Amino acid sequence: MKTYSIGEVAKELNLTVYTLRYYDKEGLMPFVERTASGTRLFKKSDIDALRVIECLKSTGMPIKEIKNFIDWCSDGDATLKQRYDMFMERKANVEAQIEELKKTMELIEHKCSYYKTALEAGTEEIHKNNKIGTSITP
């Protein structure tokens, strides 16, 4: 079975070696084997698990909660419900983030249009007294 060094894994996941060592220190990588001298040996499945960790982190999940998830995975089938519930909560959280980003994008698109029109006219006066231009008309 092919194994990967911490440097190779860091490069593959676009992380730093320091970040991977931090994850290990925080107990997020109990699955990673070590040589007798303590060198970490990563398998493909370890890299896949780290992708899940990075996904959870990108949703704003705290390291402590990610650790709970890792522990649940180690506990096996008895924790399937907790893991399912956790991912349902993460899904709802990400859906809310997406809705907020859509609102942000609407405002940004409005401002792009606002400034494009002002540039084409050579003046912001075309928008009269609305220099900040925050009103969005659907």
Side-chain angles (χ1 to χ4, degrees), residues 7-138:
E8 291 171 320
V9 173
K11 185 175 181 181
E12 171 74 17
L13 298 175
N14 198 27
L15 298 171
T16 64
V17 168
Y18 171 81
T19 298
L20 290 172
R21 288 187 179 131
Y22 172 73
Y23 287 175
D24 194 21
K25 183 179 87 101
E26 293 298 314
L28 301 183
M29 302 186 328
F31 43 80
V32 175
E33 296 176 17
R34 290 181 180 255
T35 65
S37 63
T39 303
R40 294 169 187 87
L41 296 175
F42 293 85
K43 302 179 297 279
K44 174 77 170 86
S45 60
D46 300 335
I47 295 171
D48 292 341
L50 284 162
R51 287 186 203 288
V52 173
I53 290 168
E54 283 300 292
C55 172
L56 293 172
K57 195 170 147 239
S58 75
T59 70
M61 180 180 262
I63 295 291
K64 181 181 175 188
E65 290 181 32
I66 296 172
K67 167 84 168 79
N68 288 340
F69 168 71
I70 298 298
D71 291 344
W72 290 337
C73 290
S74 298
D75 291 343
D77 288 349
T79 62
L80 284 171
K81 177 77 167 111
Q82 289 100 316
R83 288 182 270 162
Y84 172 77
D85 290 345
M86 184 207 73
F87 272 98
M88 290 303 293
E89 181 184 324
R90 288 289 100 199
K91 181 177 182 265
N93 182 279
V94 170
E95 287 170 342
Q97 290 174 350
I98 289 170
E99 287 307 310
E100 284 301 311
L101 285 172
K102 284 180 181 177
K103 291 176 187 173
T104 299
M105 183 57 87
E106 285 178 18
L107 179 60
I108 289 171
E109 286 173 346
H110 172 75
K111 293 305 289 177
C112 288
S113 174
Y114 173 92
Y115 286 113
K116 180 179 182 202
T117 304
L119 276 169
E120 288 169 352
T123 180
E124 203 172 2
E125 288 299 315
I126 193 165
H127 296 295
K128 306 263 187 226
N129 295 327
N130 191 10
K131 289 197 182 204
I132 295 176
T134 57
S135 63
I136 299 175
T137 50

